[in-house]
Amino acid sequence: MDEKNLRKSLINPILEWARSNQKSAKHRETKLFAEKSFSLAEPPSDEPKETLFKVPAQFNGKDYITMLLHIDAEIEHGLMLQYLYSAYSIGGPEVPDVHKEAVHNWKNIILGIAKEEMGHFISVQNVLKIIGAPLNFGRESYPWDIPFYPFPFTLEKFTLKSLAKYVYAEAPSDWLDSKDPLAIEINKSVHAQASDPHTVGALFKVLLQLIKNPDVIPDAAFQPATYPYQAKFDEWGRGYTGGDRGSAGHNVFTNSPDVLVAPLLSRDDAYNALSEISEQGEGEEIDTDTPSHFERFLYIYKDFKRILEETGGFDPSYPVATNPYVGEPDSGNSPESDEPALDPEQNPITNPEGILWANLFDIRYRLLLNFLNHSFLLDNGNNNNGGYTPRGLIINSTFGEMYNLRSLSTILVQTPLSTGSRFMAGPPFTSPYSFDLPFGEHNRWRLHKDLLVSSANLIEDLKAITPQPHSQYLNALQEIDRKLLQTIAQLMEANPV
């Protein structure tokens, strides 16, 4: 069986099952909660029961759940990057003063959603950890998951069309199937951009049913002893819960993000974590105090559309490239009048300075993923080294790289794609050649060291450019890396293997 037919045989039954059960289950749960007279486990006889999804014969239950969790991890990773790219592109000289506050709020809302996607990505690793499955830090490379992706992975600037895709990806299916004029408009826009778009909800529908069923995955598969190695909210939440970080505006949609990072001890914990992730995305049970990703994206879409209709149109974003990647350096100026339009598929960064910034960005992106991966191999403190814990060092370093990616993205969206171009580069988010860490603590710390040394070489090349308006940032980054390298040298010495 070829790869296309293999995907079809494994995935289409899931999509068909989810579609056939979603409406009846939604209707049943709404009625039950309203009447408060039945248990969800015992629906009234006149209501259709949700059918059980049957795991394909070539899998056992735990292995199939692992595959679905890997797919979900890649979806969360991919959506996070696309949301970040869109948010980083927002701004620039085309934004009228009267609309700058609204545009600034849109950017903060999308950045908040991306932070919540990061929480989802980390929490899925916790679920994989507790069932003794391999973790997954990759994206869009799994051979059977293409039908589950909402739309093809695309790094593109913030526009009404790209925003429509984000609304669609997070939308409840009953809204998309409704006669709401906005739902019809979103459907038309997204289907014009992608041949077979999907929402994220179908995958969670299957996952939630399977993981709560002891006949599919036994109690013995859940390993509470992994708790010390799992991500915890007090390490990763950084105050992002219940609006603790305050509000970026004056309405519920601009409240600070609510990052979900749930450590797990049992089947119920795993089920609840996945259920909360699903609810934060679709938000079928609408809570006006905590709008879902779908509701927040729809708010931005309506606000943006309203302003476009009032003003006749303006561009709220820098003219960044679509799917930028590092190309060969150009040799000179490219007159704007002769410059072709951007390729809708992908665009090379050829400006020599832009290439340096893009390469530095990709190294720091890889460092972030490596640090995050490494954190799941270190416990809460049994491997302390002097006055600090390696786990704490890794987590702090991960946050440091999040801030670096934001700083570098801000630079790249204002760096010409080619010399003299009117188009800007944008952060490439190049997928590393490997997401795996080497065997042994010594070699894992050595890998971090190697990437930091490569970063240092690029920083020196950038500092040699005269004038360098970002030299203050580069000097600060250099000093932080110098101290980190000293600590890594001590850890390598303390861990000969």
Side-chain angles (χ1 to χ4, degrees):
M1 183 182 294
D2 62 30
E3 183 178 302
K4 181 178 179 180
N5 287 329
L6 179 61
R7 290 198 303 266
K8 185 176 180 179
S9 69
L10 289 172
I11 300 303
N12 280 5
I14 302 177
L15 297 174
E16 291 168 6
W17 178 91
R19 282 192 288 265
S20 67
N21 282 275
Q22 197 155 15
K23 288 184 179 179
S24 61
K26 171 65 179 170
H27 173 73
R28 182 175 69 250
E29 290 177 12
T30 301
K31 183 174 181 179
L32 293 177
F33 279 121
E35 296 177 353
K36 296 183 180 179
S37 58
F38 296 99
S39 163
L40 280 177
E42 299 176 354
S45 57
D46 62 336
E47 295 291 346
K49 292 186 178 181
E50 182 179 84
T51 60
L52 294 177
F53 179 83
K54 186 176 180 181
V55 173
Q58 62 267 53
F59 292 88
N60 74 4
K62 175 179 172 293
D63 189 38
Y64 194 69
I65 288 171
T66 297
M67 185 191 79
L68 297 184
L69 289 169
H70 272 228
I71 292 171
D72 181 46
E74 294 187 5
I75 290 174
E76 306 292 357
H77 190 173
L79 289 177
M80 175 181 68
L81 299 189
Q82 290 170 96
Y83 297 165
L84 284 174
Y85 193 90
S86 177
Y88 291 147
S89 76
I90 295 175
E94 297 293 322
V95 181
D97 289 343
V98 67
H99 297 304
K100 282 185 176 178
E101 182 178 358
V103 172
H104 178 71
N105 284 340
W106 300 342
K107 180 171 187 171
N108 281 337
I109 292 170
I110 298 175
L111 285 173
I113 294 172
K115 290 173 184 175
E116 291 177 352
E117 292 291 351
M118 182 69 166
H120 297 179
F121 182 58
I122 292 172
S123 290
V124 171
Q125 310 304 328
N126 276 354
V127 180
L128 288 164
K129 194 79 175 178
I130 196 174
I131 65 172
L135 309 190
N136 184 14
F137 294 88
R139 68 173 202 254
E140 201 158 335
S141 58
Y142 203 72
W144 298 324
D145 58 355
I146 291 175
F148 270 123
Y149 283 112
F151 39 78
F153 179 86
T154 308
L155 298 174
E156 57 188 326
K157 63 181 284 187
F158 175 89
T159 64
L160 201 64
K161 287 175 63 177
S162 65
L163 191 56
K165 292 197 297 187
Y166 308 151
V167 174
Y168 188 101
E170 305 277 7
S173 62
D174 57 349
W175 182 82
L176 286 174
D177 294 338
S178 73
K179 300 301 182 182
D180 186 315
L182 271 178
I184 295 171
E185 181 179 316
I186 293 290
N187 268 294
K188 183 177 179 180
S189 175
V190 175
H191 280 84
Q193 299 177 69
S195 60
D196 190 22
H198 297 284
T199 65
V200 181
L203 175 61
F204 278 99
K205 189 73 176 170
V206 178
L207 255 177
L208 286 168
Q209 188 195 80
L210 294 180
I211 205 163
K212 71 179 179 182
N213 188 343
D215 293 331
V216 174
I217 179 169
D219 290 339
F222 294 86
Q223 303 171 32
T226 62
Y227 186 90
Y229 297 88
Q230 296 175 32
K232 320 291 192 304
F233 180 81
D234 58 358
E235 297 170 321
W236 294 99
R238 298 286 169 114
Y240 281 112
T241 183
D244 287 349
R245 288 292 184 102
S247 175
H250 306 291
N251 64 59
V252 68
F253 297 101
T254 56
N255 285 343
S256 70
D258 187 6
V259 177
L260 304 174
V261 178
L264 318 171
L265 288 169
S266 66
R267 179 195 306 276
D268 286 347
D269 288 345
Y271 178 88
N272 290 336
L274 293 173
S275 181
E276 287 182 2
I277 290 172
S278 176
E279 183 66 20
Q280 191 173 65
E282 286 190 358
E284 291 193 12
E285 299 298 326
I286 296 175
D287 181 344
T288 55
D289 293 329
T290 54
S292 65
H293 293 181
F294 160 66
E295 292 170 289
R296 278 177 273 173
F297 276 130
L298 188 61
Y299 162 78
I300 299 172
Y301 186 90
K302 292 190 288 188
D303 201 34
F304 187 13
K305 185 180 177 183
R306 174 186 60 80
I307 293 176
L308 287 177
E309 291 171 349
E310 290 176 356
T311 62
F314 74 95
D315 192 342
S317 306
Y318 290 98
V320 297
T322 300
N323 291 330
Y325 67 94
V326 174
E328 295 296 323
D330 56 40
S331 56
N333 292 331
S334 174
E336 289 188 15
S337 59
D338 299 331
E339 187 176 21
L342 289 173
D343 189 309
E345 298 295 330
Q346 58 180 359
N347 293 272
I349 301 171
T350 61
N351 172 14
E353 183 176 354
I355 288 174
L356 291 174
W357 285 113
N359 281 330
L360 181 60
F361 180 93
D362 282 339
I363 285 178
R364 308 310 296 213
Y365 171 50
R366 188 178 171 198
L367 268 171
L368 186 154
L369 293 174
N370 284 352
F371 287 152
L372 181 59
N373 193 348
H374 195 174
S375 72
F376 284 90
L377 299 174
L378 298 167
D379 67 16
N380 284 100
N382 291 335
N383 46 18
N384 287 6
N385 186 49
Y388 60 89
T389 68
R391 180 182 174 90
L393 177 69
I394 281 290
I395 291 173
N396 284 333
S397 297
T398 307
F399 276 102
E401 295 315 317
M402 294 178 191
Y403 302 135
N404 282 328
L405 293 191
R406 181 165 186 171
S407 298
L408 292 167
S409 294
T410 301
I411 294 170
L412 279 162
V413 299
Q414 300 177 68
T415 299
L417 186 66
S418 59
T419 303
S421 173
R422 68 183 182 275
F423 299 122
M424 301 294 120
F429 284 108
T430 304
S431 186
Y433 70 85
S434 174
F435 294 93
D436 296 328
L437 294 181
F439 171 79
E441 278 300 291
H442 179 90
N443 290 321
R444 288 191 275 271
W445 290 112
R446 179 180 289 278
L447 176 58
H448 304 325
K449 174 186 175 182
D450 290 343
L451 292 176
L452 288 167
V453 170
S454 298
S455 175
N457 294 334
L458 287 169
I459 291 172
E460 287 297 335
D461 290 342
L462 282 164
K463 288 175 67 176
I465 297 173
T466 305
Q468 177 51 264
H470 306 293
S471 58
Q472 186 175 359
Y473 167 70
L474 292 172
N475 287 334
L477 181 57
Q478 211 168 27
E479 179 60 18
I480 292 169
D481 287 353
R482 182 187 66 80
K483 293 179 179 177
L484 182 55
L485 281 167
Q486 288 178 346
T487 306
I488 287 176
Q490 296 172 14
L491 287 164
M492 288 175 62
E493 186 176 349
N495 294 275
V497 178

